[in-house]
Amino acid sequence: MADRDFEIIIVGAGPAGLTAGLYVSRSKISVMCFEKLAPGGEILNTEHVEDYPGFEMIGGPELAQKFTDHAVKFGLKIEMEEVSEIRKDGDDFFVKTDMGEYRCGAVIYTAGGFPRKLDIPGEEKYAGKGVSYCALCDGAFFQDEVITVVGGGNSAVEEAQFLTKYGSKVYLVHRRQGFRAHQVAVDKLTENEKVEFILNHVAEEVIGDDKEMKAIRLKNVKTGETQDIEANGLFVFVGFIPNTDIIKEDVEKDESGFIITDQNMETNIPGLFVAGDCRSQLIRQITNASGDATTAAVAAEKYLEAQEDAKKESAPAAS
Ligand code: NAP
């Protein structure tokens, strides 16, 4: 429609945003994708991807580049602007960034999220001085040192495996006996001689001196007993918090804060579509982020067509 800057705005350029961008651009619809960091999203922090069909193994940054190049080849424009607010007025959405405000007819929201913290004493104090949330970024700083990983999901198990490239020993601390991670990844980690599992324990405190962390205090959740294990690094992989605060509409979420959509990836706000890690769903993989973004792109296009048709029908007939 005439006053809109774009028909569709995509927020976030991870696998979901780039896939949506590819599909929308191929349909020749006016679209803009805003990303606050670099295109690629979470896979930029993944050393190897082994579960994206067609690639038995590919580097995360390489796959991110392929996604980006492919979408850009079909005409997607990606601007490095941080979106701070999304609101709806009538049929239009207003997307505010650090550079300006843009009006569009539909939004495909793929802004992912950020790592959950443990919220224990010492975690903040030693962040960057032993405590990390990114193995690919910081693993190499712990050559021949003792590393502790906390968590029991795919991230913790896969990153613990990766960190054995550097550490002399890697402890995997998990609060339960069972894992959320894929069994095949847990089995592979069990076979790694550098790894020691410490199950049914939680991290209670990060201990160190003025310069760096030295140890982690663990508590046995069954007996209540505590023990300190010496470690130079603590890698925290205890889940993910969806990035949803910038949506200023009353969007429906699940109990963990992930956005609920229907099968077309549309939220309870008509014209607001969601795909990727911030959507309420069973798993968070590159494959389903891409698949859901494909649905979101096509559904957004149909939404705009229906809006256009309705406008034509309600327009007074020419005399
Ligand atoms: P996740 O699957 O939500 O797992 C979080 C883990 O942290 C759980 O084991 C949880 O324990 C534990 N935890 C949560 N809060 C804790 C706390 N305060 N103290 C101690 N432990 C705590 O998160 P994720 O591993 O970051 O993965 C996020 C999503 O990305 C998942 O859907 C995952 O499948 C996906 N992912 C997939 C791959 C892959 O397939 N290659 C790789 C990475 C991530 P409980 O189990 O007891 O709740």
Side-chain angles (χ1 to χ4, degrees):
M1 291 184 207
D3 298 332
R4 290 177 180 166
D5 296 291
F6 311 100
E7 286 303 324
I8 295 177
I9 288 180
I10 298 169
V11 181
L18 292 168
T19 305
L22 167 71
Y23 274 83
V24 174
S25 302
R26 283 192 86 202
S27 297
K28 307 280 178 211
I29 294 170
S30 109
V31 56
M32 173 57 77
C33 178
F34 291 120
E35 164 62 49
K36 69 174 172 181
L37 297 169
E42 280 292 302
I43 43 175
L44 288 173
N45 298 325
T46 307
E47 193 198 29
H48 290 125
V49 177
E50 291 182 342
D51 48 13
Y52 192 72
F55 297 94
E56 276 177 34
M57 186 190 279
I58 183 166
E62 190 188 348
L63 185 59
Q65 192 60 51
K66 283 184 184 292
F67 266 75
T68 309
D69 291 347
H70 198 169
V72 169
K73 184 183 163 211
F74 281 108
L76 180 67
K77 290 197 173 53
I78 306 169
E79 290 293 345
M80 297 301 131
E81 294 185 33
E82 181 166 0
V83 175
S84 56
E85 200 176 297
I86 298 170
R87 51 192 174 79
K88 193 175 184 195
D89 190 0
D91 281 343
D92 289 338
F93 285 90
F94 293 84
V95 176
K96 198 171 180 179
T97 75
D98 48 357
M99 308 286 276
E101 189 172 68
Y102 307 89
R103 185 170 174 170
C104 65
V107 170
I108 302 178
Y109 188 79
T110 66
F114 48 91
R116 176 179 289 124
K117 297 194 169 157
L118 287 169
D119 285 331
I120 56 173
E123 184 181 18
E124 205 177 320
K125 177 175 177 187
Y126 294 109
K129 296 173 186 160
V131 176
S132 170
Y133 305 87
C134 177
L136 189 62
C137 321
D138 299 330
F141 296 124
F142 298 91
Q143 194 73 48
D144 297 324
E145 295 190 323
V146 178
I147 296 170
T148 297
V149 171
V150 176
N154 279 310
S155 299
V157 169
E158 287 183 10
E159 302 306 334
Q161 185 76 257
F162 170 71
L163 287 164
T164 60
K165 273 176 49 163
Y166 303 108
S168 55
K169 182 168 189 75
V170 175
Y171 291 105
L172 182 76
V173 176
H174 179 37
R175 64 186 178 182
R176 292 192 291 130
Q177 194 74 27
F179 285 85
R180 277 176 204 261
H182 298 143
Q183 193 56 44
V184 63
V186 177
D187 290 346
K188 194 172 159 195
L189 194 65
T190 312
E191 285 162 17
N192 193 317
E193 287 177 353
K194 282 190 179 176
V195 177
E196 184 176 332
F197 287 78
I198 305 181
L199 303 181
N200 301 309
H201 280 74
V202 288
E204 275 210 324
E205 186 175 349
V206 188
I207 301 160
D209 59 21
D210 286 347
K211 282 197 198 142
E212 56 193 13
M213 65 166 278
K214 301 276 185 198
I216 298 151
R217 181 155 302 152
L218 301 180
K219 186 173 96 179
N220 184 320
V221 294
K222 297 204 161 159
T223 64
E225 278 172 36
T226 58
Q227 61 169 310
D228 293 351
I229 55 166
E230 286 182 15
N232 313 90
L234 168 64
F235 284 80
V236 180
F237 299 109
V238 294
F240 187 79
I241 298 175
N243 201 358
T244 59
D245 288 353
I246 58 181
I247 302 176
K248 301 302 175 198
E249 301 296 323
D250 198 9
V251 68
E252 208 183 331
K253 296 176 196 151
D254 66 17
E255 67 283 352
S256 305
F258 292 86
I259 300 171
I260 295 171
T261 69
D262 64 12
Q263 62 177 2
N264 290 340
M265 307 302 137
E266 191 170 14
T267 65
N268 60 314
I269 313 293
L272 176 62
F273 299 82
V274 173
D277 287 354
C278 56
R279 186 174 94 84
S280 178
Q281 59 194 319
L282 180 63
I283 49 158
R284 295 190 170 77
Q285 302 282 293
I286 306 168
T287 45
N288 68 317
S290 290
D292 292 346
T294 308
T295 303
V298 175
E301 198 178 323
K302 288 191 182 305
Y303 168 84
L304 291 171
E305 276 168 18
Q307 226 181 35
E308 198 63 42
D309 289 348
K311 203 180 163 209
K312 277 184 200 148
E313 273 171 30
S314 65
S319 54

